[in-house]
Amino acid sequence: MSIARLHEQKLVQHVVSQNCDGLHLRSGLPRTAISELHGNMYIEVCTACTPNREYVRVFDVTERTALHRHQTGRACHKCGAQLRDTIVHFGERGTLGQPLNWEAATEAASKADTILCLGSSLKVLKKYPRLWCMTKPPSRRPKLYIVNLQWTPKDDWAALKLHGKCDDVMQLLMDELGLEIPPYSRWQDPIFSLATPLRAGEEGTHSRKSLCRSREEPPPGERAAPLSSAPVLGGWFGRGCTKRTKRKKVT
């Protein structure tokens, strides 16, 4: 959410992510400002359509996929071809336009004056020289700032390396800039407006728990219902698991 606010303030131009969890998209960043180099677990595509037809889902589409095995078990609504996930595994080369968005990533890197790396070992990213403007002389390359608890192969190139936790550093940065970190609102999560619903007969094609809007948080403009004292029996905890309650021992 800090990064989303920094982009809103035009302090961040582009976000390159190695994560497959889709959180940058869900924070409200526009698609044009995100390059998800290793894919997005909520997106499946039809590569038979030109341009590729994209389907955003509210569940993890990678249930049946693996290395060199990308078909999700669903078909394109337009041409009927098999859909595939967008995940790039170790040993694979990502060629999809979206959500990898390599073109925008390299263009942004070529224009950047600063690169901020948060929480990445950079062991994979170091192999992508286009992101580091290595064709430019060192004096003309963007300044590199790294936040990571461990050593990275780019530490010697960095103008500053902070051995800290990303949340702590970003909180300090936002405080220094006088910017408030916006709260995440499930009612404003773009994934729900971007998502394509399953067609009749497709309900059984996955067994992953679907994302849903919070029961506790009212939509904008509606008055919140009185808080109940009843215990929470379920919800989105990590991968959608139900929070367990401890059983009392019977003696």
Side-chain angles (χ1 to χ4, degrees):
M1 298 310 298
S2 296
I3 294 171
R5 175 54 56 84
L6 291 173
H7 178 268
E8 178 187 285
Q9 297 292 315
K10 303 188 184 308
L11 295 172
V12 165
Q13 300 298 320
H14 198 83
V15 174
V16 174
S17 176
Q18 293 175 268
N19 288 3
C20 301
D21 52 26
L23 292 185
H24 287 299
L25 174 63
R26 298 183 61 193
S27 73
L29 283 169
R31 299 296 302 277
T32 54
I34 313 172
S35 295
E36 296 174 297
L37 299 186
H38 296 158
N40 186 316
M41 60 189 275
Y42 294 110
I43 297 177
E44 52 189 350
V45 297
C46 174
T47 54
C49 287
T50 305
N52 291 350
R53 191 173 297 274
E54 185 179 82
Y55 296 84
V56 178
R57 306 295 192 182
V58 293
F59 56 88
D60 181 358
V61 304
T62 66
E63 183 175 6
R64 303 181 181 182
T65 66
L67 177 67
H68 302 309
R69 194 171 71 246
H70 294 279
Q71 292 187 349
T72 62
R74 285 171 291 279
C76 177
H77 297 182
K78 181 71 174 179
C79 71
Q82 287 292 307
L83 297 179
R84 57 154 293 170
D85 70 5
T86 63
I87 305 302
V88 181
H89 295 273
F90 287 104
E92 296 181 338
R93 181 181 294 273
T95 58
L96 294 172
Q98 285 287 350
L100 310 188
N101 203 9
W102 261 109
E103 184 177 350
T106 54
E107 181 181 357
S110 68
K111 297 177 181 178
D113 54 16
T114 299
I115 294 177
L116 174 62
C117 296
L118 296 169
S120 172
S121 71
L122 300 180
K123 292 180 181 179
V124 175
L125 286 184
K126 73 173 183 178
K127 300 177 182 178
Y128 302 145
R130 289 180 293 173
L131 294 178
W132 310 106
C133 306
M134 298 305 291
T135 57
K136 294 182 179 181
S139 61
R140 294 183 56 197
R141 293 172 192 165
K143 288 186 178 180
L144 176 61
Y145 296 84
I146 299 173
V147 180
N148 200 57
L149 289 172
Q150 297 174 322
W151 172 89
T152 83
K154 288 288 184 181
D155 284 0
D156 290 341
W157 293 84
L160 179 66
K161 166 67 182 298
L162 294 176
H163 294 272
K165 295 183 178 180
C166 296
D167 284 356
D168 296 340
V169 172
M170 290 304 292
Q171 181 68 65
L172 290 170
L173 174 61
M174 298 298 280
D175 291 344
E176 181 68 22
L177 294 172
L179 295 175
E180 183 180 354
I181 301 174
Y184 166 74
S185 170
R186 193 174 291 267
W187 286 97
Q188 296 174 339
D189 192 324
I191 198 168
F192 296 108
S193 58
L194 294 172
T196 302
L198 295 174
R199 296 185 297 181
E202 290 184 327
E203 292 81 1
T205 59
H206 78 98
S207 61
R208 297 287 172 85
K209 185 176 179 67
S210 296
L211 298 172
C212 61
R213 295 190 191 273
S214 172
R215 297 175 183 175
E216 291 80 17
E217 183 185 358
E222 288 190 13
R223 181 178 298 178
L227 294 177
S228 171
S229 59
V232 177
L233 299 179
W236 183 250
F237 303 105
R239 279 187 169 268
C241 302
T242 303
K243 185 180 286 186
R244 295 181 179 179
T245 54
K246 293 183 179 180
R247 295 183 178 179
K248 293 181 178 180
K249 293 183 179 181
V250 178
T251 56

